[in-house]
Amino acid sequence: MFKKILIANRGEIALRIICACKELGIRTVAIYSEADRNSLHVRFADEAICIGPPQLSQSYLNIPAVISAAEIANVDAIHPGYGLLAENANFAEVCETCNIKFIGPPPEVMRLMGEKEKARAAMKKAGVPILPGSEGILGSDAEAMEWAEQVGFPVIIKASAGGGGRGMRIVRSKEELPALFKAASSEAAAAFGNGDLYMEKYVENPRHIEFQVLADQHGNVVSLGERECSIQRRHQKLLEESPSTQVTPELRAEIGGILSKTLSGIGYMNAGTIEFLMDRERKLYFIEMNTRIQVEHPVTEMVTDVDLVKSQIMIAADARLQDVLQGPVVSRGHAIECRINAEHPEKFTPSAGKITVFNPPGGTGVRIDTAAYAEGVIPPYYDSLIAKLIVRGKDRPEAISRMQRALGMFVVEGIHTTIPLHRRILAAPEFLVGNTDTGFIERFLAASKELAAQAKS
Ligand code: ADP
Protein backbone atom coordinates (compact mmCIF):
# COMPACT_ATOMS: atom_id res chain seq x y z
CA MET A 1 0.00 0.00 0.00
CA PHE A 2 1.07 3.61 -0.57
CA LYS A 3 2.68 5.46 2.33
CA LYS A 4 2.06 9.00 1.15
CA ILE A 5 -0.31 10.53 -1.41
CA LEU A 6 -0.37 14.05 -2.86
CA ILE A 7 -3.84 15.44 -3.56
CA ALA A 8 -3.78 17.55 -6.72
CA ASN A 9 -7.02 19.35 -5.99
CA ARG A 10 -8.80 21.72 -3.62
CA GLY A 11 -12.18 22.20 -1.93
CA GLU A 12 -14.54 19.45 -0.91
CA ILE A 13 -13.00 16.74 -3.10
CA ALA A 14 -9.52 17.32 -1.64
CA LEU A 15 -11.01 16.84 1.83
CA ARG A 16 -12.92 13.77 0.67
CA ILE A 17 -9.65 12.19 -0.51
CA ILE A 18 -7.92 13.13 2.75
CA CYS A 19 -10.72 11.28 4.63
CA ALA A 20 -10.12 8.13 2.55
CA CYS A 21 -6.35 8.31 3.09
CA LYS A 22 -6.71 8.79 6.84
CA GLU A 23 -8.92 5.71 7.06
CA LEU A 24 -6.38 3.71 5.07
CA GLY A 25 -3.50 4.96 7.25
CA ILE A 26 -1.84 6.86 4.38
CA ARG A 27 -0.10 10.22 4.93
CA THR A 28 -1.42 13.12 2.83
CA VAL A 29 0.16 16.10 1.14
CA ALA A 30 -2.06 19.04 0.15
CA ILE A 31 -1.11 21.58 -2.49
CA TYR A 32 -2.67 25.03 -2.43
CA SER A 33 -2.68 28.37 -4.18
CA GLU A 34 -2.15 31.66 -2.33
CA ALA A 35 -5.94 32.14 -2.33
CA ASP A 36 -6.45 28.85 -0.46
CA ARG A 37 -3.98 29.38 2.38
CA ASN A 38 -6.77 29.12 4.98
CA SER A 39 -8.58 26.18 3.36
CA LEU A 40 -9.57 23.07 5.26
CA HIS A 41 -7.72 20.74 2.89
CA VAL A 42 -4.54 22.54 3.96
CA ARG A 43 -5.44 22.24 7.62
CA PHE A 44 -6.30 18.53 7.57
CA ALA A 45 -3.50 17.22 5.36
CA ASP A 46 -0.32 16.00 7.08
CA GLU A 47 1.77 18.33 4.94
CA ALA A 48 0.90 21.26 2.69
CA ILE A 49 2.84 22.99 -0.05
CA CYS A 50 1.99 26.33 -1.67
CA ILE A 51 2.35 25.97 -5.43
CA GLY A 52 1.61 29.45 -6.73
CA PRO A 53 -0.72 32.41 -7.16
CA PRO A 54 -4.53 32.08 -7.28
CA GLN A 55 -4.92 31.75 -11.07
CA LEU A 56 -5.52 28.11 -12.00
CA SER A 57 -2.94 28.14 -14.79
CA GLN A 58 -0.28 29.21 -12.30
CA SER A 59 -1.24 26.84 -9.50
CA TYR A 60 -3.53 23.78 -9.66
CA LEU A 61 -3.09 23.40 -13.44
CA ASN A 62 0.64 24.07 -13.41
CA ILE A 63 2.02 20.57 -14.00
CA PRO A 64 5.70 21.37 -13.22
CA ALA A 65 4.67 23.01 -9.93
CA VAL A 66 2.48 20.04 -8.93
CA ILE A 67 5.18 17.51 -9.82
CA SER A 68 7.87 19.50 -7.97
CA ALA A 69 5.68 19.46 -4.85
CA ALA A 70 5.22 15.69 -5.23
CA GLU A 71 8.97 15.19 -5.54
CA ILE A 72 9.83 17.46 -2.61
CA ALA A 73 7.29 15.63 -0.43
CA ASN A 74 8.49 12.28 -1.80
CA VAL A 75 5.01 10.81 -2.38
CA ASP A 76 4.21 7.40 -3.87
CA ALA A 77 1.04 8.47 -5.66
CA ILE A 78 -1.11 11.43 -6.76
CA HIS A 79 -4.90 11.54 -6.54
CA PRO A 80 -6.23 14.12 -9.01
CA GLY A 81 -9.87 14.30 -7.76
CA TYR A 82 -12.22 15.62 -10.48
CA GLY A 83 -11.81 18.58 -12.83
CA LEU A 84 -8.38 20.30 -12.94
CA LEU A 85 -5.80 17.68 -14.04
CA ALA A 86 -8.01 14.62 -13.50
CA GLU A 87 -8.51 13.86 -17.19
CA ASN A 88 -5.22 15.21 -18.46
CA ALA A 89 -3.43 12.24 -20.05
CA ASN A 90 -0.18 14.23 -20.35
CA PHE A 91 -0.19 14.78 -16.60
CA ALA A 92 -0.75 11.06 -15.99
CA GLU A 93 2.18 10.35 -18.30
CA VAL A 94 4.47 12.81 -16.49
CA CYS A 95 3.55 11.11 -13.20
CA GLU A 96 4.48 7.76 -14.68
CA THR A 97 7.81 9.09 -15.96
CA CYS A 98 8.58 10.45 -12.49
CA ASN A 99 7.75 7.09 -10.94
CA ILE A 100 4.71 8.44 -9.14
CA LYS A 101 1.51 6.38 -9.42
CA PHE A 102 -1.35 8.35 -10.97
CA ILE A 103 -4.58 7.21 -9.30
CA GLY A 104 -6.69 6.66 -12.40
CA PRO A 105 -6.60 4.70 -15.67
CA PRO A 106 -3.51 4.45 -17.90
CA PRO A 107 -2.83 7.56 -20.06
CA GLU A 108 -3.66 5.83 -23.36
CA VAL A 109 -7.12 4.84 -22.11
CA MET A 110 -7.70 8.37 -20.80
CA ARG A 111 -6.73 9.71 -24.20
CA LEU A 112 -9.15 7.39 -26.02
CA MET A 113 -12.09 8.33 -23.78
CA GLY A 114 -11.06 12.01 -23.67
CA GLU A 115 -11.70 12.38 -27.39
CA LYS A 116 -15.43 11.96 -27.29
CA GLU A 117 -15.89 11.09 -30.92
CA LYS A 118 -13.22 8.36 -30.63
CA ALA A 119 -14.89 7.05 -27.45
CA ARG A 120 -18.17 6.90 -29.37
CA ALA A 121 -16.59 4.82 -32.09
CA ALA A 122 -14.92 2.48 -29.56
CA MET A 123 -18.21 1.95 -27.71
CA LYS A 124 -20.09 1.33 -30.94
CA LYS A 125 -17.52 -1.28 -31.95
CA ALA A 126 -17.98 -3.02 -28.60
CA GLY A 127 -21.75 -3.19 -29.04
CA VAL A 128 -22.77 -0.34 -26.71
CA PRO A 129 -25.71 1.57 -28.25
CA ILE A 130 -24.88 5.11 -29.43
CA LEU A 131 -26.99 7.85 -31.02
CA PRO A 132 -26.93 8.21 -34.81
CA GLY A 133 -24.37 10.83 -35.77
CA SER A 134 -21.27 11.74 -37.70
CA GLU A 135 -18.30 9.45 -38.07
CA GLY A 136 -15.06 11.14 -37.11
CA ILE A 137 -14.41 14.87 -36.81
CA LEU A 138 -16.49 17.28 -38.92
CA GLY A 139 -14.11 18.88 -41.41
CA SER A 140 -16.32 21.85 -42.30
CA ASP A 141 -19.84 23.23 -41.96
CA ALA A 142 -20.61 21.73 -45.38
CA GLU A 143 -19.71 18.30 -44.07
CA ALA A 144 -21.79 18.99 -40.96
CA MET A 145 -24.72 19.83 -43.24
CA GLU A 146 -24.42 16.51 -45.06
CA TRP A 147 -24.45 14.57 -41.79
CA ALA A 148 -27.32 16.63 -40.38
CA GLU A 149 -29.45 15.82 -43.41
CA GLN A 150 -28.63 12.16 -43.08
CA VAL A 151 -29.29 12.05 -39.30
CA GLY A 152 -32.30 14.39 -39.49
CA PHE A 153 -32.85 17.65 -37.55
CA PRO A 154 -32.62 18.46 -34.70
CA VAL A 155 -28.97 17.57 -34.18
CA ILE A 156 -26.43 18.59 -31.58
CA ILE A 157 -22.91 19.71 -32.47
CA LYS A 158 -20.44 18.83 -29.74
CA ALA A 159 -16.79 19.45 -28.98
CA SER A 160 -14.66 16.33 -29.16
CA ALA A 161 -12.57 17.59 -26.23
CA GLY A 162 -15.75 18.85 -24.51
CA GLY A 163 -16.69 19.03 -20.86
CA GLY A 164 -18.86 21.12 -18.56
CA GLY A 165 -21.45 21.57 -21.29
CA ARG A 166 -19.21 23.88 -23.33
CA GLY A 167 -18.72 23.85 -27.10
CA MET A 168 -22.18 22.41 -27.62
CA ARG A 169 -24.96 23.75 -29.90
CA ILE A 170 -28.42 22.40 -30.72
CA VAL A 171 -29.24 22.87 -34.39
CA ARG A 172 -32.90 22.74 -35.36
CA SER A 173 -32.73 23.76 -39.01
CA LYS A 174 -30.50 23.95 -42.06
CA GLU A 175 -30.48 27.74 -41.98
CA GLU A 176 -28.96 28.07 -38.52
CA LEU A 177 -26.29 25.39 -38.95
CA PRO A 178 -23.35 27.44 -40.36
CA ALA A 179 -23.46 30.09 -37.62
CA LEU A 180 -23.90 27.54 -34.81
CA PHE A 181 -21.09 25.39 -36.21
CA LYS A 182 -18.78 28.39 -36.12
CA ALA A 183 -19.83 29.38 -32.60
CA ALA A 184 -19.33 25.84 -31.23
CA SER A 185 -15.94 25.58 -32.88
CA SER A 186 -14.59 28.85 -31.49
CA GLU A 187 -16.05 28.15 -28.04
CA ALA A 188 -14.37 24.73 -28.04
CA ALA A 189 -11.06 26.17 -29.27
CA ALA A 190 -11.11 28.82 -26.51
CA ALA A 191 -12.15 26.42 -23.74
CA PHE A 192 -10.12 23.32 -24.63
CA GLY A 193 -7.48 24.52 -27.09
CA ASN A 194 -9.09 22.18 -29.62
CA GLY A 195 -11.93 23.19 -31.91
CA ASP A 196 -12.73 19.66 -33.22
CA LEU A 197 -16.47 18.99 -33.47
CA TYR A 198 -18.71 15.97 -34.06
CA MET A 199 -22.47 15.56 -34.34
CA GLU A 200 -25.23 13.49 -32.76
CA LYS A 201 -28.97 13.21 -33.12
CA TYR A 202 -30.52 15.58 -30.57
CA VAL A 203 -32.90 13.81 -28.19
CA GLU A 204 -35.71 16.08 -26.93
CA ASN A 205 -35.70 16.23 -23.14
CA PRO A 206 -33.90 12.97 -22.45
CA ARG A 207 -32.98 11.64 -19.04
CA HIS A 208 -29.30 11.63 -18.11
CA ILE A 209 -28.42 8.25 -16.63
CA GLU A 210 -24.87 7.16 -15.84
CA PHE A 211 -23.28 3.95 -14.62
CA GLN A 212 -20.51 3.77 -12.03
CA VAL A 213 -17.83 1.15 -12.57
CA LEU A 214 -14.70 -0.02 -10.80
CA ALA A 215 -12.00 -1.96 -12.63
CA ASP A 216 -8.88 -3.47 -11.12
CA GLN A 217 -5.47 -3.96 -12.72
CA HIS A 218 -6.18 -7.65 -13.30
CA GLY A 219 -9.02 -7.35 -15.83
CA ASN A 220 -11.95 -7.50 -13.37
CA VAL A 221 -14.74 -4.94 -13.78
CA VAL A 222 -17.83 -4.40 -11.66
CA SER A 223 -20.80 -2.09 -12.23
CA LEU A 224 -22.22 -0.36 -9.14
CA GLY A 225 -25.49 0.62 -10.74
CA GLU A 226 -26.71 3.96 -12.00
CA ARG A 227 -27.26 7.55 -11.00
CA GLU A 228 -29.87 9.75 -12.59
CA CYS A 229 -28.61 13.29 -13.18
CA SER A 230 -31.43 14.79 -15.25
CA ILE A 231 -31.88 17.88 -13.09
CA GLN A 232 -29.45 20.17 -14.90
CA ARG A 233 -29.17 23.79 -15.82
CA ARG A 234 -27.16 24.77 -18.88
CA HIS A 235 -26.19 21.10 -19.30
CA GLN A 236 -24.64 21.07 -15.82
CA LYS A 237 -25.87 18.78 -13.08
CA LEU A 238 -27.60 20.24 -10.04
CA LEU A 239 -29.26 17.28 -8.30
CA GLU A 240 -28.52 13.57 -8.64
CA GLU A 241 -30.17 10.42 -7.33
CA SER A 242 -29.68 6.66 -7.23
CA PRO A 243 -31.34 4.46 -8.32
CA SER A 244 -33.16 5.99 -11.29
CA THR A 245 -36.93 5.52 -11.27
CA GLN A 246 -36.64 4.40 -14.91
CA VAL A 247 -34.04 1.64 -14.73
CA THR A 248 -35.42 -1.84 -14.15
CA PRO A 249 -33.28 -4.58 -12.57
CA GLU A 250 -33.16 -6.28 -16.00
CA LEU A 251 -31.92 -3.15 -17.78
CA ARG A 252 -29.37 -2.51 -14.99
CA ALA A 253 -28.02 -6.05 -15.31
CA GLU A 254 -27.94 -5.86 -19.11
CA ILE A 255 -26.02 -2.57 -19.22
CA GLY A 256 -23.73 -3.69 -16.38
CA GLY A 257 -22.86 -6.81 -18.35
CA ILE A 258 -22.14 -4.94 -21.60
CA LEU A 259 -19.98 -2.38 -19.79
CA SER A 260 -17.93 -4.95 -17.90
CA LYS A 261 -17.07 -6.73 -21.14
CA THR A 262 -16.34 -3.51 -23.02
CA LEU A 263 -14.15 -1.98 -20.35
CA SER A 264 -12.04 -5.03 -19.71
CA GLY A 265 -11.64 -5.22 -23.51
CA ILE A 266 -10.11 -1.73 -23.68
CA GLY A 267 -7.91 -2.25 -20.61
CA TYR A 268 -9.82 0.15 -18.40
CA MET A 269 -8.61 0.52 -14.80
CA ASN A 270 -9.78 2.34 -11.68
CA ALA A 271 -13.12 4.17 -11.21
CA GLY A 272 -15.08 5.39 -14.21
CA THR A 273 -18.49 6.66 -15.20
CA ILE A 274 -20.27 5.88 -18.43
CA GLU A 275 -22.89 8.46 -19.30
CA PHE A 276 -26.04 7.68 -21.28
CA LEU A 277 -29.11 9.51 -22.44
CA MET A 278 -32.46 7.77 -22.13
CA ASP A 279 -35.19 8.56 -24.66
CA ARG A 280 -38.98 8.34 -24.23
CA GLU A 281 -38.91 4.63 -25.15
CA ARG A 282 -36.52 4.06 -22.24
CA LYS A 283 -33.68 3.21 -24.59
CA LEU A 284 -30.17 4.12 -23.39
CA TYR A 285 -27.52 5.65 -25.66
CA PHE A 286 -23.88 6.18 -24.69
CA ILE A 287 -22.72 9.82 -24.77
CA GLU A 288 -19.40 9.90 -22.96
CA MET A 289 -17.14 8.31 -20.38
CA ASN A 290 -15.49 10.13 -17.49
CA THR A 291 -12.24 8.49 -16.44
CA ARG A 292 -12.19 9.82 -12.88
CA ILE A 293 -14.19 10.11 -9.69
CA GLN A 294 -17.36 12.19 -10.24
CA VAL A 295 -18.80 15.01 -8.14
CA GLU A 296 -21.94 12.92 -7.57
CA HIS A 297 -20.14 9.70 -6.48
CA PRO A 298 -21.58 9.91 -2.91
CA VAL A 299 -25.10 8.85 -4.02
CA THR A 300 -23.64 5.53 -5.17
CA GLU A 301 -21.66 5.24 -1.94
CA MET A 302 -24.79 5.85 0.12
CA VAL A 303 -26.82 3.06 -1.50
CA THR A 304 -24.03 0.49 -1.98
CA ASP A 305 -21.87 1.17 1.11
CA VAL A 306 -18.80 0.99 -1.13
CA ASP A 307 -16.22 3.71 -0.48
CA LEU A 308 -15.31 4.65 -4.05
CA VAL A 309 -12.30 6.80 -3.19
CA LYS A 310 -10.75 4.16 -0.96
CA SER A 311 -11.44 1.65 -3.73
CA GLN A 312 -9.62 3.89 -6.23
CA ILE A 313 -6.56 4.04 -3.99
CA MET A 314 -6.52 0.30 -3.27
CA ILE A 315 -6.93 -0.56 -6.95
CA ALA A 316 -4.06 1.77 -7.88
CA ALA A 317 -1.97 -0.06 -5.28
CA ASP A 318 -2.72 -3.26 -7.23
CA ALA A 319 -5.46 -4.73 -5.02
CA ARG A 320 -7.93 -7.12 -6.64
CA LEU A 321 -11.57 -6.10 -6.86
CA GLN A 322 -12.65 -9.09 -4.78
CA ASP A 323 -10.40 -7.90 -1.92
CA VAL A 324 -11.55 -4.30 -2.27
CA LEU A 325 -15.28 -5.13 -2.29
CA GLN A 326 -15.27 -8.22 -0.09
CA GLY A 327 -18.56 -9.54 -1.46
CA PRO A 328 -21.21 -8.74 -4.04
CA VAL A 329 -22.34 -5.13 -4.51
CA VAL A 330 -25.87 -4.73 -3.13
CA SER A 331 -27.85 -1.53 -3.49
CA ARG A 332 -30.27 -0.56 -0.69
CA GLY A 333 -32.68 2.34 -0.39
CA HIS A 334 -32.54 5.62 -2.28
CA ALA A 335 -30.01 8.45 -2.18
CA ILE A 336 -30.18 12.06 -3.39
CA GLU A 337 -27.46 14.70 -3.69
CA CYS A 338 -28.02 18.44 -3.93
CA ARG A 339 -25.13 20.54 -5.18
CA ILE A 340 -24.92 23.66 -3.06
CA ASN A 341 -23.29 26.27 -5.26
CA ALA A 342 -22.27 29.76 -4.26
CA GLU A 343 -24.46 31.46 -6.80
CA HIS A 344 -27.62 33.39 -7.28
CA PRO A 345 -30.37 30.73 -7.28
CA GLU A 346 -32.17 31.98 -10.37
CA LYS A 347 -29.68 34.04 -12.31
CA PHE A 348 -26.99 31.36 -11.75
CA THR A 349 -24.31 34.05 -11.46
CA PRO A 350 -21.41 33.32 -9.06
CA SER A 351 -21.63 34.70 -5.55
CA ALA A 352 -18.11 34.74 -4.08
CA GLY A 353 -17.30 36.36 -0.73
CA LYS A 354 -17.21 35.71 2.97
CA ILE A 355 -19.53 33.17 4.59
CA THR A 356 -20.78 34.74 7.82
CA VAL A 357 -22.94 31.89 9.13
CA PHE A 358 -22.51 28.21 8.24
CA ASN A 359 -24.74 25.68 9.94
CA PRO A 360 -24.74 22.32 8.19
CA PRO A 361 -27.52 19.86 9.07
CA GLY A 362 -26.98 16.41 10.55
CA GLY A 363 -29.10 13.50 11.74
CA THR A 364 -29.94 10.07 10.41
CA GLY A 365 -29.04 9.38 6.79
CA VAL A 366 -27.46 12.81 6.14
CA ARG A 367 -23.98 13.35 4.75
CA ILE A 368 -22.22 16.58 3.89
CA ASP A 369 -19.10 16.86 1.79
CA THR A 370 -17.77 20.37 2.09
CA ALA A 371 -14.69 22.47 2.72
CA ALA A 372 -16.69 25.56 3.68
CA TYR A 373 -16.88 27.05 7.20
CA ALA A 374 -18.12 30.17 8.97
CA GLU A 375 -15.86 33.20 8.37
CA GLY A 376 -14.30 31.32 5.43
CA VAL A 377 -13.98 33.13 2.12
CA ILE A 378 -15.15 31.69 -1.21
CA PRO A 379 -12.53 32.91 -3.69
CA PRO A 380 -13.77 34.10 -7.08
CA TYR A 381 -11.20 32.09 -9.04
CA TYR A 382 -12.62 28.58 -8.79
CA ASP A 383 -15.69 26.40 -9.14
CA SER A 384 -18.81 27.64 -7.35
CA LEU A 385 -19.55 24.29 -5.63
CA ILE A 386 -19.25 24.87 -1.86
CA ALA A 387 -21.00 21.80 -0.45
CA LYS A 388 -22.75 18.60 -1.40
CA LEU A 389 -25.67 17.59 0.74
CA ILE A 390 -26.43 13.89 0.39
CA VAL A 391 -29.18 11.88 2.05
CA ARG A 392 -30.25 8.26 2.05
CA GLY A 393 -33.73 6.99 2.79
CA LYS A 394 -35.33 3.56 2.71
CA ASP A 395 -37.10 4.63 -0.48
CA ARG A 396 -37.44 7.72 -2.73
CA PRO A 397 -40.23 9.41 -0.73
CA GLU A 398 -38.23 9.12 2.50
CA ALA A 399 -35.08 10.41 0.79
CA ILE A 400 -37.05 13.42 -0.54
CA SER A 401 -38.56 14.34 2.82
CA ARG A 402 -35.19 13.85 4.53
CA MET A 403 -33.53 16.13 1.97
CA GLN A 404 -36.25 18.76 2.47
CA ARG A 405 -35.74 18.83 6.22
CA ALA A 406 -31.93 18.84 5.86
CA LEU A 407 -32.03 21.74 3.39
CA GLY A 408 -34.34 23.58 5.79
CA MET A 409 -31.73 23.22 8.55
CA PHE A 410 -28.80 24.22 6.33
CA VAL A 411 -28.07 27.86 7.10
CA VAL A 412 -25.52 29.69 4.96
CA GLU A 413 -25.32 33.49 5.24
CA GLY A 414 -23.11 36.08 3.62
CA ILE A 415 -23.34 34.62 0.11
CA HIS A 416 -26.16 33.41 -2.14
CA THR A 417 -26.57 29.66 -2.57
CA THR A 418 -28.71 27.20 -4.49
CA ILE A 419 -30.39 25.96 -1.25
CA PRO A 420 -33.72 27.80 -1.88
CA LEU A 421 -33.85 26.51 -5.46
CA HIS A 422 -33.34 22.91 -4.30
CA ARG A 423 -36.15 23.25 -1.78
CA ARG A 424 -38.50 24.35 -4.53
CA ILE A 425 -37.39 21.59 -6.92
CA LEU A 426 -38.01 18.95 -4.26
CA ALA A 427 -41.53 20.27 -3.71
CA ALA A 428 -42.43 20.34 -7.43
CA PRO A 429 -45.18 17.81 -8.32
CA GLU A 430 -43.25 16.70 -11.43
CA PHE A 431 -40.18 15.91 -9.33
CA LEU A 432 -42.22 14.07 -6.71
CA VAL A 433 -43.61 11.67 -9.30
CA GLY A 434 -40.16 11.15 -10.83
CA ASN A 435 -40.98 13.01 -14.01
CA THR A 436 -37.45 14.31 -14.40
CA ASP A 437 -35.70 15.02 -17.67
CA THR A 438 -33.07 17.50 -18.80
CA GLY A 439 -35.78 20.05 -19.68
CA PHE A 440 -37.08 20.05 -16.09
CA ILE A 441 -35.35 23.20 -14.78
CA GLU A 442 -36.30 25.28 -17.80
CA ARG A 443 -39.98 24.32 -17.50
CA PHE A 444 -39.88 24.75 -13.76
CA LEU A 445 -38.32 28.23 -13.85
CA ALA A 446 -40.72 29.38 -16.57
CA ALA A 447 -43.70 28.13 -14.51
CA SER A 448 -42.44 29.85 -11.34
CA LYS A 449 -41.98 33.12 -13.21
CA GLU A 450 -45.55 32.89 -14.45
CA LEU A 451 -46.84 32.21 -10.95
CA ALA A 452 -44.90 35.21 -9.60
CA ALA A 453 -46.34 37.43 -12.36
CA GLN A 454 -49.89 36.21 -11.59
CA ALA A 455 -49.39 36.90 -7.90
CA LYS A 456 -48.32 40.48 -8.69
CA SER A 457 -51.26 41.27 -11.01
P1 ADP B 1 -20.12 17.53 -21.30
O1 ADP B 1 -18.96 16.58 -21.36
O2 ADP B 1 -19.80 18.89 -21.83
O3 ADP B 1 -20.78 17.55 -19.97
P2 ADP B 1 -22.06 15.62 -22.39
O4 ADP B 1 -21.85 14.92 -23.67
O5 ADP B 1 -21.82 14.83 -21.14
O6 ADP B 1 -21.18 16.95 -22.37
O7 ADP B 1 -23.53 16.21 -22.32
C1 ADP B 1 -23.95 17.02 -21.26
C2 ADP B 1 -25.45 17.19 -21.30
O8 ADP B 1 -25.85 17.79 -22.55
C3 ADP B 1 -26.26 15.91 -21.21
O9 ADP B 1 -26.45 15.48 -19.88
C4 ADP B 1 -27.58 16.36 -21.88
O10 ADP B 1 -28.35 17.15 -21.01
C5 ADP B 1 -27.09 17.25 -23.01
N1 ADP B 1 -26.87 16.47 -24.24
C6 ADP B 1 -25.71 15.96 -24.70
N2 ADP B 1 -25.88 15.27 -25.86
C7 ADP B 1 -27.20 15.33 -26.14
C8 ADP B 1 -28.03 14.80 -27.21
N3 ADP B 1 -27.52 14.08 -28.19
N4 ADP B 1 -29.37 15.06 -27.14
C9 ADP B 1 -29.90 15.79 -26.15
N5 ADP B 1 -29.18 16.32 -25.14
C10 ADP B 1 -27.85 16.10 -25.12
Side-chain angles (χ1 to χ4, degrees):
M1 185 41 88
F2 304 123
K3 290 197 171 61
K4 212 192 220 186
I5 291 179
L6 179 135
I7 296 139
N9 218 302
R10 62 180 300 283
E12 68 86 19
I13 193 62
L15 264 187
R16 169 71 190 88
I17 300 163
I18 290 174
C19 292
C21 290
K22 281 186 188 292
E23 290 180 22
L24 289 169
I26 299 170
R27 283 182 67 78
T28 50
V29 180
I31 52 168
Y32 62 97
S33 76
E34 284 161 12
D36 278 340
R37 204 169 282 283
N38 298 319
S39 295
L40 292 189
H41 76 286
V42 175
R43 172 184 287 212
F44 290 120
D46 296 305
E47 293 169 42
I49 299 174
C50 182
I51 53 160
Q55 291 75 16
L56 283 175
S57 60
Q58 293 179 54
S59 52
Y60 299 103
L61 290 177
N62 181 347
I63 295 178
V66 176
I67 294 288
S68 306
E71 293 202 311
I72 290 167
N74 196 20
V75 301
D76 310 304
I78 294 186
H79 196 307
Y82 55 69
L84 301 177
L85 297 171
E87 286 176 295
N88 186 319
N90 295 337
F91 177 63
E93 232 158 41
V94 175
C95 290
E96 235 170 47
T97 316
C98 298
N99 228 349
I100 299 167
K101 182 77 185 176
F102 175 83
I103 302 178
E108 59 279 9
V109 182
M110 284 170 76
R111 218 162 253 141
L112 173 69
M113 290 300 147
E115 288 178 50
K116 292 166 76 172
E117 127 289 339
K118 284 216 181 100
R120 228 172 91 83
M123 289 289 173
K124 184 180 174 190
K125 204 168 142 213
V128 180
I130 60 164
L131 287 163
S134 58
E135 276 167 32
I137 298 298
L138 299 167
S140 63
D141 58 356
E143 197 185 318
M145 192 73 86
E146 274 174 38
W147 279 113
E149 285 182 335
Q150 195 171 317
V151 170
F153 289 99
V155 296
I156 182 165
I157 293 177
K158 295 166 82 169
S160 181
R166 279 169 306 169
M168 221 186 284
R169 290 291 185 283
I170 302 159
V171 188
R172 297 195 175 272
S173 70
K174 224 168 122 173
E175 291 67 39
E176 55 184 30
L177 188 138
L180 292 175
F181 181 90
K182 206 166 152 204
S185 173
S186 39
E187 190 174 303
F192 316 112
N194 173 356
D196 286 353
L197 301 175
Y198 68 106
M199 179 187 293
E200 267 172 11
K201 176 81 188 157
Y202 180 69
V203 188
E204 295 289 350
N205 297 340
R207 285 171 185 261
H208 175 117
I209 292 173
E210 58 186 33
F211 283 74
Q212 175 71 54
V213 296
L214 282 175
D216 69 14
Q217 304 190 148
H218 307 274
N220 306 300
V221 183
V222 68
S223 166
L224 292 97
E226 79 285 357
R227 299 183 281 262
E228 177 161 343
C229 317
S230 299
I231 308 293
Q232 309 179 343
R233 46 98 174 81
R234 297 189 188 137
H235 303 306
Q236 288 184 5
K237 299 161 190 167
L238 203 54
L239 180 153
E240 301 94 349
E241 55 185 311
S242 183
S244 162
T245 58
Q246 301 303 301
V247 177
T248 59
E250 294 74 35
L251 182 58
R252 186 172 301 125
E254 184 196 328
I255 297 290
I258 297 178
L259 291 178
S260 297
K261 224 172 65 207
T262 308
L263 295 174
S264 69
I266 60 168
Y268 196 79
M269 282 167 214
N270 218 279
T273 296
I274 303 87
E275 299 190 333
F276 293 87
L277 295 182
M278 181 185 261
D279 68 10
R280 305 258 139 193
E281 278 80 51
R282 290 201 192 174
K283 282 213 192 88
L284 287 171
Y285 301 94
F286 167 82
I287 49 167
E288 70 161 341
M289 174 160 191
N290 293 313
T291 55
R292 54 168 162 84
I293 194 77
Q294 302 260 112
V295 175
E296 60 274 23
H297 75 275
V299 289
T300 301
E301 295 187 325
M302 293 291 264
V303 292
T304 60
D305 264 339
V306 173
D307 186 316
L308 290 167
V309 179
K310 274 202 227 171
S311 303
Q312 283 192 292
I313 296 170
M314 292 167 78
I315 285 171
D318 212 24
R320 286 179 182 271
L321 219 39
Q322 66 197 65
D323 299 323
V324 174
L325 298 172
Q326 298 185 340
V329 177
V330 187
S331 182
R332 281 173 49 246
H334 196 94
I336 303 178
E337 170 181 281
C338 288
R339 296 193 190 195
I340 314 299
N341 295 333
E343 61 188 30
H344 193 280
E346 262 143 52
K347 290 188 224 142
F348 300 130
T349 45
S351 177
K354 190 174 191 168
I355 297 177
T356 52
V357 177
F358 191 77
N359 179 64
T364 308
V366 176
R367 162 175 170 180
I368 293 195
D369 283 20
T370 184
Y373 57 94
E375 301 292 307
V377 174
I378 305 296
Y381 312 99
Y382 314 117
D383 198 89
S384 63
L385 181 76
I386 58 158
K388 304 187 310 206
L389 175 57
I390 310 108
V391 301
R392 182 186 169 282
K394 65 179 184 303
D395 51 23
R396 191 169 188 265
E398 186 178 72
I400 292 174
S401 58
R402 183 160 287 159
M403 182 60 92
Q404 267 296 12
R405 79 100 178 131
L407 285 166
M409 298 169 85
F410 200 165
V411 186
V412 184
E413 288 174 11
I415 55 166
H416 287 293
T417 75
T418 43
I419 293 174
L421 175 65
H422 281 299
R423 297 207 69 185
R424 288 168 48 217
I425 293 170
L426 287 164
E430 264 198 291
F431 182 82
L432 293 173
V433 298
N435 198 2
T436 47
D437 61 52
T438 58
F440 178 92
I441 290 280
E442 217 169 280
R443 290 195 300 276
F444 170 79
L445 291 179
S448 356
K449 242 187 212 152
E450 209 166 284
L451 273 182
Q454 277 171 9
K456 261 190 202 155
S457 64

